[in-house]
Amino acid sequence: MPVSDIAVQDAPAANLTERVVNDFSIRVATVNGSGSQTANLVLLRSIFRMGIPVSGKNLFPSNIAGLPTWFTIRASKDGYVARRATIDLLVAMNPETAREDVLSLEPDAVVVYDEPLKLDELRDDLTFYPVPFDKLVAGILRDAKLRRLVRNMIYDGVLANLLQIDRQQMDAALEKQLGSKPRAMALNRSALDVGYDYAAEHLEKRDPLVLEPMDKTDGLILVEGNAAAAVGAMMAGVTVVTWYPITPSSSLCETLIDYLQKYRLDPETGKATFAVVQAEDEIAALGMALGAGWAGARSMTSTSGPGVSLMGEFSGLGYYAEVPAVIFDIQRVGPSTGLPTRTAQGDVLTTAFLSHGDTRHLMLFPASVEECYGMAIEAFDLAERFQTPVFVMSDLDLGMNTWMSKAFEYPKKPLDRGKVLDRETLDRIGRFGRYRDVDGDGIPYRSIPGDDMPAFFCRGSGHNEWAQYSERPDDYKANVDRLARKFETARNWLPEPVVEINRKASIGIVAYGTTHWAIVESRDQLLAEADLQTSYYRVCAYPFRDALESFIERYDRVYVVEQNRDAQMLSLMKLDVRPELANRLRSVLHYSGDPIDARTVTDSILIQEGYRVEKAGAQTIRLPHTSGVGGE
Amino acid sequence: MASVTPSNPRIKVNRIGLDSKQYRGTKTTLCAGCGHNAISERIIGACYEMGVDPGRVVKLSGIGCSSKSPAYFLGSAHGFNAVHGRMPSVGTGALLANHKLIAIGVSGDGDTGAIGIGQFVHLMRRNLPIIYIIEDNGCYGLTKGQFSPTADLGSTLKTGVVNDLPPIDTCALAVELGATFVARSFSGDKKQLTAILKAALSHRGTAMLDVLSPCVTFNDHEGSTKSYSHVKEHDDPLEEISFVPFFEDISVDYEPGTTQAVPLHDGSTLYLKKLEEEYDALDKVRALQVLNETRRRGEFATGIIYVEPDRDDFLTMLNLVDEPLAALPQKRVRPPRGALKEIMKSLR
């Protein structure tokens, strides 16, 4: 295998006369609670409205106000939306982090900063633009409290001038953000003007970064994954929502409540076709969702890792007593409280087997906001079809960050309420046995309290197919074997993987969820930098389809890329695929709390494939799954 | 509705045409003489007499001896034997899905006072329309007799171990937390328990019933304050209760001044006959005072200790459509195309 460094050296330093158009990252460093979110979203939306593909990632602390926060906007003419590790333009507004923020930049980066911070003294290989924010804001406003809030909008004005952002689009983006508040609107618009005019008069353009209009965002929307999932849940006809606040999932239920109040009140009576309850904890939240699912509602809850842990016992009850419910897990960094405001894919193994005994759960893995919407709808159908809890495994990066997407399509399929007993079915099957496998697919029929069909006693203790209490070994075994059969039925019913087979490929890549976006970019990098052709299998659900084995069979080495330390998805695959195939699986792992970036993936694969030698001193943790540097 | 026309005219039926056998459940697996079985009998009797439709009832429980008992009454009703201490949440969910259901929850003193105290607290706060019965024997029967949080200070285990922690008074706690119907009775008091259960069935809100139910196997010995002999000697009835359902003629036998009429949400009336002249079940402060005083004397005040008939229950507060949420068809739960279009437009 070739060992070459040439292909992977960074491109030569940008020639200042050469413009960098629509392909760079902006990082805004501010203080949490300073109102920077409005300014950042206006900036993001302005670029989006110029037709330039864009993504925004908020790196924020677990804090209400006072701690540092960073917002990264990536403009990418090629449509890459994964996090980019390199920052090209820094807006340094936070005195506490400014020094470190500047020192961590690559050479030739650009810095817009608050003049009194005197950051230009720190380095001589960067382009600095000082802006006297306090002086400028004082010119607009007397009220010191309000000054603090509109001060940030000034940097939007400065960047509009420096980067040639369409002012009309920026005004429109501002209107979108603050439209309903005319006074705030007026103040912020003057802040934009002040920033723009200051830059026009005092800052001489000395950097290559430019934004130019494109047509790549026509018809697209900008939305967070949690909001997308909320729209999906509403369109799925959710009727009972029970939840307990936890970052990063709270915004899912909060957005859902807003939408439900707008679109799900009976037009004639004004009464609600839904119930939302903020429970006393996650245990109660899932208990309520299961009680509601048992009684025939489309029920859901939303949580994150610590909540998932608390839901363990009830999840097992849902599995064994066969009660539908949808659980959104917006994953964050663990273990324990971990990093509550940082992203991870760390709940995969826990959730697959959540609870004691032989328990297995259905999981869906949305990678995009569009899939958050679609899989939310699908999850409710699956929960009722398979009469079991269904976990939608999103993460903080997807749930709380802003993503471009095609507009969501109206659902094509009617609601699937699954095998609910009715008179006709009862006549056909004769006697009703709640846990009887009438159709041979492991899925029994169920009756619902109040529906006038024969009742049954639902319980988490041992039961036979007539739902009678039983401790008989044969009853127990027959029941859990049927549950396994039901799981097998689900295997080919769940969303299909997205597979791209490249006939010239020498390796395979497997990923899921938000890791997808780094893979899209990394595959291009692998091709460009090392002429390494790849095929790609994106897991969309658990249990895995048989197609996973056929994919692994094609390649000697298959890289499973994920955002956790212990190669959780790979471990799950090893349990499922034939042993000789399991040996082909290798890991690319990213678990710092930042969303994964393409460079991490590319570098790791190139090293493991032997194209490149691992950097001296680089820390590597050897886990059983992590294969060493190959091909040397 | 599970109504049946009896073929035998001699069989007595209730107002919805069911005979009392149709309110029975499967055969009990609890110990012979267990107070819980007597409670099941009273539930059967009260539901029969009130003409409750078993098809509308959901029976809920947690884990333990008490929580097994829903299998032993109303066999044709749906039941859910959930996880330890978490029945309130399951019941809440079921009623959210279908607010027309009649929920009867059976818990125990451990299931409520220990592992389930959190959910109990929030159930009482919410005033969910559910009858919540604690079959209270002061011990963990199913795991062979360990103390529960309602075991009295100084009571002893069969092994001689003495309980040195004070008990939780679930009635006082419920009153404090905002429960709107709080009663205490004794599994052996057929007349009082039936009357309380019937009143509870008419109450719209959480009806919390702490029913002392001695454990014949682990807690019916001299050192226990929840033994049959102890309870019978220390039972202090607050009032004599007559319950008049709305579908029968209302009795007016009671002398003014000795009875207290409490109108319930469904039009029926609860009459409390005072044994103590000044007892007023509508007086929260007095209720707590009585509970404290009797406890100090080592007695149990029984009867309906506190009622607040007018507070909105949890489901009413949610302003739900009239039909059960579970029964709403697709067109009422999936917004039209225009709604999605509007949302998409707002995200551009």
Side-chain angles (χ1 to χ4, degrees):
Chain A
M1 204 157 283
V3 178
S4 158
D5 270 343
I6 297 165
V8 296
Q9 275 178 359
D10 285 325
N15 181 338
L16 289 187
T17 58
E18 214 173 276
R19 301 187 322 151
V20 175
V21 182
N22 298 346
D23 192 18
F24 53 87
S25 285
I26 304 167
R27 169 168 287 174
V28 182
T30 51
V31 179
N32 204 28
S34 66
S36 56
Q37 189 71 349
T38 306
N40 294 335
L41 290 175
V42 165
L43 184 58
L44 177 82
R45 196 174 289 275
S46 309
I47 300 169
F48 173 74
R49 293 182 76 105
M50 287 174 73
I52 306 163
V54 68
S55 61
K57 295 197 191 297
N58 190 14
L59 190 69
F60 60 105
S62 180
N63 158 261
I64 301 299
L67 289 182
T69 176
W70 296 269
F71 194 85
T72 306
I73 293 173
R74 178 178 188 184
S76 168
K77 60 180 169 35
D78 302 313
Y80 296 134
V81 292
R83 182 176 72 91
R84 191 159 169 269
T86 315
I87 299 301
D88 305 283
L89 193 165
L90 170 73
V91 180
M93 301 294 285
N94 184 357
E96 266 189 58
T97 63
R99 193 184 145 81
E100 201 186 325
D101 287 337
V102 168
L103 293 177
S104 66
L105 291 169
E106 300 281 321
D108 300 322
V110 181
V111 184
V112 171
Y113 70 100
D114 192 15
E115 197 168 34
L117 298 177
K118 298 196 167 65
L119 301 178
D120 54 337
E121 295 167 2
L122 291 172
R123 286 173 66 167
D124 54 14
D125 57 346
L126 305 176
T127 307
F128 286 98
Y129 296 111
V131 179
F133 286 97
D134 286 331
K135 228 162 82 188
L136 293 179
V137 78
I140 321 170
L141 263 171
R142 276 167 196 275
D143 186 334
K145 215 166 140 196
L146 284 172
R147 274 183 202 170
R148 202 172 60 88
L149 293 174
V150 298
R151 189 173 181 264
N152 284 314
M153 197 55 71
I154 295 175
Y155 65 69
D156 277 9
V158 171
L159 293 190
N161 179 276
L162 284 176
L163 302 175
Q164 297 169 25
I165 297 171
D166 186 330
R167 265 308 300 272
Q168 265 185 335
Q169 298 294 9
M170 193 168 254
D171 287 347
L174 184 66
E175 179 130 15
K176 183 104 193 165
Q177 211 67 32
L178 296 170
S180 56
K181 302 168 190 161
R183 186 168 144 71
M185 184 71 202
L187 280 175
N188 280 287
R189 185 171 285 144
S190 33
L192 277 184
D193 289 341
V194 163
Y196 190 91
D197 294 346
Y198 178 84
E201 284 169 37
H202 300 92
L203 305 178
E204 188 198 339
K205 176 83 171 166
R206 284 175 284 113
D207 70 87
L209 309 178
V210 178
L211 291 168
E212 282 180 357
M214 293 178 84
D215 59 357
K216 289 203 171 175
T217 65
D218 288 354
L220 301 188
I221 57 169
L222 271 182
V223 67
E224 303 82 30
N226 283 349
V231 178
M234 178 173 71
M235 299 309 286
V238 67
T239 45
V240 174
V241 182
T242 53
W243 67 297
Y244 186 76
I246 183 172
T247 303
S249 91
S250 304
S251 63
L252 199 164
C253 283
E254 284 168 338
T255 314
L256 178 55
I257 291 166
D258 288 346
Y259 281 133
L260 289 172
Q261 278 166 350
K262 188 158 184 202
Y263 296 108
R264 285 280 299 278
L265 295 178
D266 186 277
E268 278 168 31
T269 61
K271 290 183 171 183
T273 61
F274 61 87
V276 181
V277 176
Q278 184 182 320
E280 55 268 37
D281 55 31
E282 288 91 344
I283 301 174
L286 183 56
M288 289 177 193
L290 288 174
W294 166 66
R298 297 210 124 188
S299 63
M300 63 165 272
T301 185
S302 168
T303 190
S304 190
V308 169
S309 294
L310 286 174
M311 290 175 181
E313 189 183 26
F314 258 132
S315 298
L317 176 73
Y319 171 80
Y320 191 47
E322 300 179 62
V323 184
V326 173
I327 300 132
F328 290 90
D329 177 10
I330 317 303
Q331 296 168 92
R332 69 186 210 190
V333 173
S336 191
T337 307
L339 306 177
T341 60
R342 305 298 154 89
T343 197
Q345 298 178 311
D347 300 344
V348 176
L349 271 179
T350 320
T351 307
F353 307 110
L354 189 64
S355 201
H356 49 275
D358 287 323
T359 304
R360 287 208 185 193
H361 296 294
L362 308 185
M363 297 190 285
L364 305 181
F365 296 97
S368 62
V369 288
E370 196 180 8
E371 286 182 353
C372 284
Y373 167 76
M375 285 186 181
I377 297 174
E378 185 129 25
F380 285 90
D381 284 352
L382 290 167
E384 290 201 303
R385 169 60 46 187
F386 291 96
Q387 302 169 14
T388 196
V390 172
F391 291 82
V392 183
M393 308 294 288
S394 176
D395 63 28
L396 182 144
D397 183 22
L398 185 53
M400 290 189 74
N401 285 325
T402 310
W403 301 74
M404 294 185 306
S405 173
K406 279 194 297 189
F408 304 153
E409 281 181 29
Y410 196 73
K412 292 191 180 74
K413 292 187 290 183
L415 307 184
D416 178 5
R417 305 300 309 261
K419 293 189 188 180
V420 177
L421 190 70
D422 53 22
R423 186 57 57 191
E424 198 184 318
T425 312
L426 188 58
D427 289 344
R428 178 168 60 83
I429 65 176
R431 185 179 163 200
F432 170 58
R434 169 65 182 96
Y435 300 108
R436 236 177 107 201
D437 187 4
V438 178
D439 303 324
D441 55 4
I443 310 170
Y445 287 84
R446 67 180 183 128
S447 59
I448 287 168
D451 74 353
D452 290 340
M453 287 288 108
F456 69 97
F457 203 94
C458 185
R459 47 163 65 88
S461 45
H463 44 266
N464 62 18
E465 59 182 7
W466 308 106
Q468 292 158 336
Y469 182 81
S470 171
E471 295 181 11
R472 289 172 57 109
D474 52 347
D475 279 342
Y476 173 78
K477 191 165 177 304
N479 195 29
V480 291
D481 284 347
R482 180 188 52 76
L483 283 166
R485 221 155 48 235
K486 185 168 87 166
F487 199 71
E488 285 307 304
T489 304
R491 192 183 291 279
N492 292 313
W493 195 296
L494 299 178
E496 286 186 58
V498 180
V499 188
E500 277 178 59
I501 301 290
N502 174 353
R503 300 208 172 279
K504 296 185 204 154
S506 54
I507 60 167
I509 296 176
V510 175
Y512 58 97
T514 47
T515 304
H516 167 68
W517 301 103
I519 302 302
V520 170
E521 192 175 350
S522 172
R523 290 179 71 207
D524 290 350
Q525 290 176 347
L526 289 167
L527 196 60
E529 296 171 17
D531 199 22
L532 184 58
Q533 306 262 4
T534 59
S535 286
Y536 179 33
Y537 183 104
R538 180 157 69 83
V539 175
C540 292
Y542 176 78
F544 310 117
R545 294 240 178 181
D546 296 337
L548 179 65
E549 280 202 341
S550 337
F551 181 82
I552 301 169
E553 271 167 8
R554 287 170 172 266
Y555 308 101
D556 291 337
R557 292 173 307 284
V558 173
Y559 293 89
V560 184
V561 188
E562 49 190 320
Q563 300 180 62
N564 55 64
R565 184 196 65 186
D566 288 352
Q568 297 192 17
M569 185 65 85
L570 182 145
S571 306
L572 206 49
M573 288 173 173
K574 280 193 167 176
L575 294 173
D576 231 50
V577 301
R578 297 199 306 275
E580 69 270 24
L581 294 180
N583 290 336
R584 302 181 179 198
L585 299 176
R586 294 168 180 224
S587 259
V588 175
L589 303 169
H590 176 91
Y591 46 90
S592 63
D594 285 334
I596 190 170
D597 63 301
R599 179 48 57 197
T600 297
V601 181
T602 305
D603 286 354
S604 175
I605 290 177
L606 288 179
I607 289 166
Q608 292 191 55
E609 283 292 302
Y611 285 81
R612 195 188 295 182
V613 180
E614 205 158 352
K615 270 187 208 158
Q619 273 197 329
T620 49
I621 297 167
R622 296 255 178 257
L623 289 160
H625 315 296
T626 321
S627 58
V629 177
E632 286 173 297
Chain B
M1 185 187 277
S3 75
V4 179
T5 313
S7 51
N8 185 344
R10 279 176 304 180
I11 294 176
K12 202 177 157 211
V13 296
N14 65 6
R15 70 185 180 99
I16 64 163
L18 299 182
D19 70 67
S20 64
K21 273 188 192 149
Q22 287 165 294
Y23 287 85
R24 308 205 73 82
T26 57
K27 192 170 167 290
T28 177
T29 61
L30 298 172
C31 305
C34 175
H36 299 0
N37 290 329
I39 299 170
S40 295
E41 289 297 323
R42 301 296 85 77
I43 295 171
I44 290 167
C47 288
Y48 166 73
E49 287 174 33
M50 291 288 285
V52 170
D53 176 4
R56 271 185 62 205
V57 173
V58 284
K59 307 171 293 180
L60 303 142
S61 63
I63 294 293
C65 290
S66 59
S67 296
K68 285 172 158 243
S69 64
Y72 315 140
F73 59 84
L74 272 63
S76 59
H78 277 267
F80 199 148
N81 184 190
V83 292
H84 203 9
R86 323 290 183 199
M87 171 261 279
S89 61
V90 175
T92 305
L95 288 171
L96 295 173
N98 185 345
H99 62 274
K100 293 191 190 296
L101 296 173
I102 299 163
I104 302 176
V106 180
S107 180
D109 36 298
D111 195 62
T112 290
I115 191 169
I117 195 76
Q119 295 212 345
F120 175 76
V121 164
H122 291 278
L123 182 72
M124 297 301 122
R125 279 183 70 212
R126 290 193 181 103
N127 196 28
L128 183 83
I130 183 174
I131 298 173
Y132 187 94
I133 301 168
I134 305 172
E135 299 186 340
D136 185 357
N137 58 15
C139 73
Y140 287 86
L142 207 52
T143 51
K144 300 202 186 299
Q146 299 84 353
F147 284 126
S148 88
T150 66
D152 292 282
L153 193 62
S155 63
T156 52
L157 291 184
K158 276 187 164 178
T159 55
V161 177
V162 179
N163 178 35
D164 49 12
L165 292 176
I168 292 174
D169 183 340
T170 51
C171 287
L173 188 59
V175 171
E176 191 59 52
L177 291 167
T180 54
F181 185 114
V182 178
R184 175 170 279 145
S185 189
F186 172 51
S187 61
D189 189 340
K190 188 172 174 178
K191 193 176 161 202
Q192 187 195 48
L193 182 52
T194 304
I196 290 175
L197 280 166
K198 286 161 77 174
L201 280 165
S202 280
H203 179 69
R204 185 79 190 169
T206 303
M208 205 298 283
L209 276 56
D210 181 47
V211 186
L212 303 174
S213 174
C215 177
V216 290
T217 305
F218 296 106
N219 206 9
D220 194 30
H221 50 94
E222 280 191 11
S224 165
T225 55
K226 288 189 173 63
S227 65
Y228 273 101
S229 56
H230 187 96
V231 174
K232 275 186 184 150
E233 279 165 27
H234 294 80
D235 189 359
D236 180 16
L238 281 179
E239 65 256 302
E240 190 178 299
I241 300 157
S242 273
F243 176 71
V244 184
F246 71 99
F247 46 80
E248 286 174 12
D249 291 341
I250 290 175
S251 163
V252 286
D253 278 348
Y254 298 86
E255 290 296 317
T258 60
T259 60
Q260 181 184 329
V262 181
L264 296 176
H265 87 285
D266 61 358
S268 58
T269 307
L270 174 69
Y271 289 93
L272 306 175
K273 185 167 182 184
K274 296 177 191 172
L275 291 180
E276 294 168 24
E277 196 56 40
E278 73 279 19
Y279 191 72
D280 175 6
L282 298 170
D283 182 343
K284 196 169 188 171
V285 175
R286 179 78 186 112
L288 289 169
Q289 193 184 353
V290 164
L291 287 168
N292 267 300
E293 284 169 357
T294 47
R295 194 192 312 150
R296 210 178 304 143
R297 293 199 299 268
E299 294 171 354
F300 298 103
T302 65
I304 294 173
I305 293 158
Y306 179 65
V307 187
E308 186 185 346
D310 299 329
R311 209 177 94 204
D312 272 353
D313 70 275
F314 189 58
L315 300 174
T316 304
M317 282 157 53
L318 290 171
N319 189 33
L320 304 175
V321 290
D322 295 341
E323 305 85 337
L325 295 180
L328 295 176
Q330 176 172 321
K331 68 173 176 2
R332 295 191 63 191
V333 297
R334 173 171 282 171
R337 285 173 190 278
L340 185 65
K341 217 173 252 177
E342 191 176 279
I343 294 169
M344 289 305 107
K345 208 179 143 202
S346 75
L347 297 171
R348 284 197 209 287

